[in-house]
Amino acid sequence: MTVQTEPAPEWLRCAGCGGTVYGKRYRRDLNVCPDCGLHGRLTAPERIERLLDEGAVPLTGGAAVAEDPLAFLDRRPYPESLAAARRATGLEDAVVGVRGTVHGHPVVAAVMDFRFFGGSMGSLAGERLTEAMETSLRERIPLLLVTASGGARMQEGALALLQMAKTSQAMGRLDEAGILTISLITDPTYGGVAASFATLSDVILAEPGARLGFAGRRVIEQTIRQRLPEGFQTAEFLAARGLVDGVVSRGALRGTLSRLLAATVPATPPERPYTLIRTGDELPPRDAWETVRLARHVDRPTTLDYIGYLLEGFQELHGDRLAADCPAIVGGLGRLGGVPVMLIGHEKGHRTADRAKRNFGMATPAGYRKSARLMRLAAKLGVPVVTLIDTPGAYPGIEAEENGQAVAIAESIRLMSALPVPIVSVITGEGGSGGALALGVADRVLALSGAVYSVISPEGCAAILWKDAAAAPQAAGALRLTTRDLLALGVIDAVVPEPPGGAHEDPGGTAELLRDALIGILGELTPLRGTELVEARRDRFRRYGLAPA
């Protein structure tokens, strides 16, 4: 946000809506316009003060760099421009590194300041960024990157360009070490910064209206001679295309960061008794078609409902980092009984408009790519994965096929098979075909007693084999898709009981039984090494379909 002072210095004019803002109120609101919500720029010291707890300590030391490697001269020698920028900002360069906490959770932060050469990345800025990353690695503390940059610094030529590789390598080492990295994108973030460390973080948050891209709008329009759409490259534009995890207003950033940091603190699952049904004889016989209808009940709890009951400090993560954010799959980090987990599940919604928006729980390829991204993050952080399955199947539309639906499902199955952290899957409603299995390759597979699980929907089976969709009730019985049948077949490990009438009659009570079961099972799986989990999981699925010994 650019502000222009009115004759009275305490009044500012918003560059977004043109409204007049009282200066004290503007600063109290963290430089956010109270009328249009436009987020103005903050300096690096202001960012640190607003995001971190009091007492953040600057990172000191570091290697010296050549300050004028090209003997660059434009309107004046580069050293003179550097000296002027240092006098104007009080900063050494465009990056400030600190060690601090967010609501008590340790973090190393590298914060960019656009006032210093437009936040451009030269050798010293690249060195300060890398030093922060190496401090995070050495001390095994999560890393927070706050970006504001026009790109690599022209006055340092190819050496500035190579800072992209230098910082990206350091981010790679943090990946290998399993340390959480978070980027906060502020306006603007372009060029070499966007195309290196800024977009390599595990979690990418963006302030409202923040622009992120490799080339700026003016450069693109002049190059391709096309008018770009309104909102191009803004945080909201990127979120709709699955490129950022969330657009977070400035006032909510500390809370969001705190939840993310808290969700990665290791904890031991508490010992808690739990009730599971492990043999079909413990379940009464149920009409298959009536069970299907119960599993599809519009008021049956969804993944978001269960998240509200089960998890503390849940932070939803969005996007496949490629093309879209599929609303039929939701996922994120939270704490289950104090234990960090990555929870991922199908989301149908309840009301008609929401169910239509979420494709009735039928995920697109972007949904499975999003879930795969979150599973890989869980593996990096050593966090167990819980999946909640409730879908009639993967979305069968033209666009889904064009974007590789089969490939996305296959890759999800392969990924889960080799994930070196505990996985517990729960069929909460309808488990349909490969769209369900893509979230169901787990160490333990549970089902709520009113759930179903099948290779195809009864209607689909009836249409293919009976040549009559009206034969769906008969097909449902033939498919043996109730939990009593699934236990007998060994397809699921155990059943979580539901109250009389179904989970929709008492969502809170159902969630309590599910929470106790999940905590208990994770307590059994967590002590196992990753290699043990993978070997047992692969052996489990290798045996399906074999005749009993």
Side-chain angles (χ1 to χ4, degrees):
M1 178 179 184
T2 302
V3 292
Q4 299 171 346
T5 56
E6 291 287 283
E10 284 300 310
W11 292 91
L12 310 171
R13 185 176 300 280
C14 173
C17 64
T20 301
V21 185
Y22 185 49
K24 288 185 177 180
R25 179 183 181 183
Y26 178 70
R27 289 183 285 275
R28 185 177 65 247
D29 291 343
L30 309 178
N31 291 15
V32 177
C33 175
D35 296 323
C36 71
L38 190 66
H39 283 50
R41 288 183 185 144
L42 294 174
T43 67
E46 288 172 333
R47 290 275 180 197
I48 293 166
E49 179 184 357
R50 286 159 172 75
L51 289 175
L52 274 61
D53 301 335
E54 188 177 352
V57 178
L59 300 180
T60 58
V65 302
E67 292 218 324
D68 188 18
L70 308 185
F72 194 91
L73 176 66
D74 47 15
R75 289 175 295 177
R76 58 179 171 175
Y78 180 45
E80 290 185 17
S81 299
L82 278 175
R86 286 168 178 158
R87 286 193 301 271
T89 63
L91 303 179
E92 179 188 36
D93 209 281
V95 177
V96 177
V98 296
R99 182 192 291 103
T101 58
V102 179
H103 290 166
H105 301 292
V107 69
V108 172
V111 184
M112 305 193 77
D113 196 313
F114 196 78
R115 297 176 302 158
F116 199 104
F117 275 79
S120 57
M121 183 168 59
S123 294
L124 185 55
E127 185 63 22
R128 294 296 174 260
L129 285 161
T130 305
E131 288 164 358
M133 296 166 188
E134 290 174 345
T135 301
S136 172
L137 177 66
R138 183 172 58 253
E139 301 184 12
R140 301 196 65 80
I141 294 173
L143 175 72
L144 170 64
L145 301 165
V146 183
T147 64
S149 176
R153 193 170 299 172
M154 293 177 288
Q155 292 88 342
E156 297 186 25
L159 290 175
L161 178 70
L162 294 176
Q163 302 307 307
M164 296 170 63
K166 178 178 180 174
T167 54
S168 296
Q169 283 184 172
M171 292 293 283
R173 295 184 66 191
L174 289 167
D175 284 337
E176 294 164 6
I179 297 171
L180 177 68
T181 56
I182 304 169
S183 284
L184 171 58
I185 306 300
T186 76
D187 189 59
T189 298
Y190 280 123
V193 168
S196 59
F197 65 90
T199 49
L200 292 177
S201 290
D202 300 315
V203 178
I204 302 177
L205 307 175
E207 288 190 331
R211 293 165 294 169
L212 169 71
F214 183 59
R217 182 187 188 102
R218 183 171 56 187
V219 172
I220 296 172
E221 288 186 336
Q222 289 176 352
T223 301
I224 66 174
R225 303 198 181 282
Q226 292 181 17
R227 180 74 176 171
L228 298 175
E230 289 300 317
F232 183 73
Q233 294 182 321
T234 62
E236 295 76 11
F237 178 93
L238 298 167
R241 287 152 182 81
L243 297 173
V244 299
D245 284 285
V247 180
V248 185
S249 64
R250 193 166 287 166
L253 280 170
R254 270 176 58 85
T256 301
L257 292 172
S258 178
R259 286 191 295 274
L260 287 167
L261 296 169
T264 61
V265 177
T268 301
E271 292 188 9
R272 179 175 294 182
Y274 60 94
T275 301
L276 287 175
I277 297 168
R278 297 185 183 274
T279 66
D281 294 340
E282 299 176 67
L283 291 168
R286 307 177 79 160
D287 179 80
W289 182 240
E290 288 302 315
T291 306
V292 170
R293 295 177 64 187
L294 176 66
R296 294 172 175 173
H297 197 289
V298 67
D299 292 327
R300 197 169 179 84
T302 68
T303 291
L304 286 175
D305 295 328
Y306 283 119
I307 285 171
Y309 286 114
L310 297 175
L311 298 189
E312 305 161 355
F314 177 72
Q315 181 61 49
E316 186 173 355
L317 303 176
H318 293 271
D320 67 349
R321 289 286 197 277
L322 180 65
D325 179 40
C326 173
I329 286 186
V330 298
L333 287 162
R335 286 173 287 119
L336 175 65
V339 179
V341 298
M342 180 71 77
L343 192 147
I344 304 165
H346 298 96
E347 176 60 34
K348 287 183 174 178
H350 291 293
R351 293 180 298 179
T352 301
D354 193 34
R355 287 167 73 85
K357 172 187 171 184
R358 295 186 182 275
N359 284 337
F360 298 87
M362 294 184 289
T364 64
Y368 294 115
R369 288 194 293 262
K370 173 169 66 173
S371 68
R373 180 175 76 85
L374 300 188
M375 289 180 199
R376 285 191 291 269
L377 174 56
K380 170 184 169 176
L381 301 176
V383 170
V385 172
V386 174
T387 66
L388 304 183
I389 297 167
D390 185 14
T391 180
Y395 183 64
I398 294 172
E399 185 177 348
E401 291 299 320
E402 289 176 339
N403 285 283
Q405 183 70 286
V407 175
I409 292 171
E411 290 183 343
S412 182
I413 293 171
R414 179 175 62 183
L415 172 66
M416 294 188 78
S417 298
L419 213 65
V421 292
I423 308 174
V424 182
S425 295
V426 185
I427 306 160
T428 60
E430 193 175 8
S433 189
L437 181 61
L439 296 188
V441 182
D443 302 299
R444 301 289 186 272
V445 180
L446 311 180
L448 296 184
S449 57
V452 296
Y453 192 25
S454 176
V455 67
I456 192 172
S457 70
E459 294 90 340
C461 180
I464 294 170
L465 299 183
W466 276 263
K467 312 300 182 186
D468 182 5
Q474 185 178 352
L479 287 167
R480 295 189 62 188
L481 43 64
T482 70
T483 50
R484 181 183 173 95
D485 294 321
L486 297 170
L487 279 174
L489 292 167
V491 171
I492 60 176
D493 295 291
V495 170
V496 180
E498 297 182 32
H504 61 283
E505 294 289 349
D506 184 6
T510 304
E512 186 174 349
L513 290 169
L514 178 57
R515 180 178 61 246
D516 291 346
L518 289 171
I519 291 173
I521 290 173
L522 288 176
E524 298 167 6
L525 295 173
T526 300
L528 300 177
R529 296 192 306 271
T531 52
E532 294 178 284
L533 290 166
V534 171
E535 183 179 356
R537 194 182 308 141
R538 286 173 170 166
D539 184 59
R540 168 199 182 97
F541 284 87
R542 174 67 178 83
R543 295 195 306 270
Y544 280 124
L546 298 180

